[in-house]
Amino acid sequence: MSKVIAMSDKAMTQAKANFEMYYTLTQELLKFINKENIDEFLELERQRSDLVARMKALPETEDYRKTAECQELVGKIKPLDMQVVYKAKAWLNKSRQQNATVHAYDIQGMNSLGNIFNKKY
C-alpha cells in the first residue's frame, strides 16, 4: 500500500512541476514575443505544447489541478496566456500587412515592356 502512495506522491510532485514549467514557459513566451524574436518564440511554443501533452498523459494532473496551490498558479497563468495570444495575433497581423505591402510592389505580374523602364543604361 505504501508503494502505491509513494507512486501517487511522485506523480503529484511531477504534476506540480509540470504546471510550474508551464508558467515559466509562458513567461518566456511573453518575453520573446515582446522582443519580436519569433524563432525563439516558436521553439518555446513547441516545448510548451510537448509539456501539455505530457500533462494530459499524467492522470494526477487532474488531481493536482483541484488543489488551491494549482488554482493560484492557474490564476497567474491565465492573464499571461491571454497576453501571449493577443501579442502573437498582433505580430501576425503586422507581419501579414508588411508581406502584403511588399507584394504590392512586386512587378512580376506586369507586362515585360514595363521592365525596360527599370533598367539602367
Side-chain angles (χ1 to χ4, degrees):
M1 182 81 167
S2 65
K3 206 175 207 184
V4 172
I5 293 172
M7 290 290 283
S8 180
D9 287 346
K10 185 177 178 182
M12 284 292 280
T13 301
Q14 184 59 54
K16 178 182 176 181
N18 287 344
F19 271 89
E20 289 171 352
M21 178 57 73
Y22 187 91
Y23 178 58
T24 301
L25 285 171
T26 304
Q27 290 175 314
E28 292 298 305
L29 281 170
L30 190 56
K31 182 169 72 173
F32 284 106
I33 196 70
N34 283 337
K35 292 180 181 178
E36 294 190 12
N37 185 338
I38 302 308
D39 291 335
E40 198 63 37
F41 175 84
L42 292 174
E43 174 58 26
L44 289 171
E45 179 55 37
R46 184 196 60 75
Q47 291 177 24
R48 194 171 78 154
S49 294
D50 291 347
L51 177 63
V52 168
R54 289 195 311 269
M55 290 169 79
K56 287 179 179 177
L58 186 66
E60 284 75 11
T61 296
E62 284 305 312
D63 294 336
Y64 177 70
R65 192 170 175 80
K66 295 173 186 172
T67 66
E69 178 183 29
C70 183
Q71 291 303 312
E72 183 180 333
L73 191 55
V74 168
K76 292 178 184 177
I77 291 171
K78 281 185 178 182
L80 292 177
D81 258 345
M82 290 173 55
Q83 286 182 52
V84 167
V85 168
Y86 174 79
K87 290 182 182 217
K89 284 182 179 181
W91 176 85
L92 184 60
N93 287 338
K94 179 179 163 186
S95 178
R96 284 180 178 158
Q97 184 179 12
Q98 287 173 343
N99 196 22
T101 301
V102 167
H103 287 297
Y105 289 102
D106 195 359
I107 60 171
Q108 290 177 0
M110 295 179 70
N111 186 338
S112 60
L113 181 60
N115 289 336
I116 292 174
F117 299 111
N118 295 330
K119 292 183 179 177
K120 293 182 179 179
Y121 292 99

